[in-house]
Amino acid sequence: MVESVGIGQSEVDIGQVVDMLILMVAPGGGDGLQGVKKGIVEVADMLVVNKADGSLLTAARTTAADYKGATHLFRTKSPPVVLTSAMTKDGFIEIWDEICKYRAITSSNGDLDLRKAKQRRFWMWKHMQDLISAKVQSDDRIGNMAFEMEKALDHGLVSPRVAASNLLECLHLTFTSNGNDNV
């Protein structure tokens, strides 16, 4: 289980480490499905509206309805939306049932294996980006070239694409001059 503090977390990265992404929202949190949340709503496998009790019960029901309606607009199959309350203990069995159902379906239809394969590919490329970035930052020749490309960009002498291509060529030359011809 991975818990995110919410807004500001990269929902793409979070989605790349879990088998099921559950988005928990507070009552009233569906107001217009703000752009900040829309990205994670698009990839969530289940939505949970918490604090569905007392004076917030009506707002929680409205929020759940808002999310149910909105997910139909940009998804072919809407995720389940479950109301829950820590105060009354309502909804916990429903959440667990949905988790079990999701696991059974994705295991039997191959989606879980596909998701894990996609996650492995995502992390390979993420690590590759990190390694290249570390190499760029630690190599003087590439650092000098990066500085020159930034100056050229600032003066409108090259486009970002050309600057990046020049840096990539410099990176390649750095690897091959160090005897790493198979890079």
Side-chain angles (χ1 to χ4, degrees):
M1 182 176 288
V2 177
E3 181 181 3
S4 163
V5 294
I7 297 173
Q9 293 289 323
S10 171
E11 55 270 348
V12 173
D13 287 353
I14 291 168
Q16 296 301 328
V17 295
V18 297
D19 294 344
M20 180 181 192
L21 183 65
I22 302 172
L23 175 63
M24 184 172 283
V25 296
D31 43 325
L33 282 178
Q34 305 150 353
V36 210
K37 290 183 186 168
K38 187 175 179 237
I40 197 161
V41 171
E42 289 175 346
V43 297
D45 300 305
M46 177 170 44
L47 289 99
V48 174
V49 181
N50 65 350
K51 301 180 182 178
D53 53 53
S55 63
L56 293 175
L57 182 57
T58 301
R61 287 180 176 149
T62 301
T63 299
D66 288 348
Y67 276 99
K68 282 179 185 176
T71 56
H72 284 289
L73 299 175
F74 50 84
R75 293 180 66 161
T76 52
K77 184 179 183 313
S78 293
V81 179
V82 179
L83 292 169
T84 189
S85 166
M87 299 279 287
T88 65
K89 310 288 189 258
D90 290 333
F92 294 111
I93 292 171
E94 291 84 354
I95 291 171
W96 184 247
D97 288 347
E98 289 296 339
I99 291 170
C100 292
K101 187 184 329 177
Y102 179 85
R103 180 69 179 208
I105 291 169
T106 58
S107 293
S108 67
N109 69 11
D111 283 352
L112 183 60
D113 290 336
L114 290 173
R115 184 177 198 144
K116 288 182 177 292
K118 184 178 175 184
Q119 289 171 340
R120 287 188 294 271
R121 288 190 302 270
F122 172 88
W123 286 108
M124 176 191 73
W125 288 111
K126 179 86 168 104
H127 290 306
M128 180 63 123
Q129 290 170 348
D130 292 345
L131 291 170
I132 290 171
S133 181
K135 176 68 175 171
V136 167
Q137 292 174 11
S138 68
D139 187 279
D140 289 340
R141 185 171 27 171
I142 300 171
N144 291 336
M145 172 63 90
F147 179 73
E148 292 302 317
M149 288 297 98
E150 287 173 348
K151 283 192 334 189
L153 281 167
D154 291 346
H155 291 94
L157 301 174
V158 295
S159 69
R161 181 181 297 252
V162 169
S165 294
N166 289 342
L167 285 172
L168 184 61
E169 179 64 24
C170 186
L171 181 66
H172 177 72
L173 292 173
T174 301
F175 275 116
T176 56
S177 67
N178 290 334
N180 298 319
D181 292 329
N182 58 346
V183 174

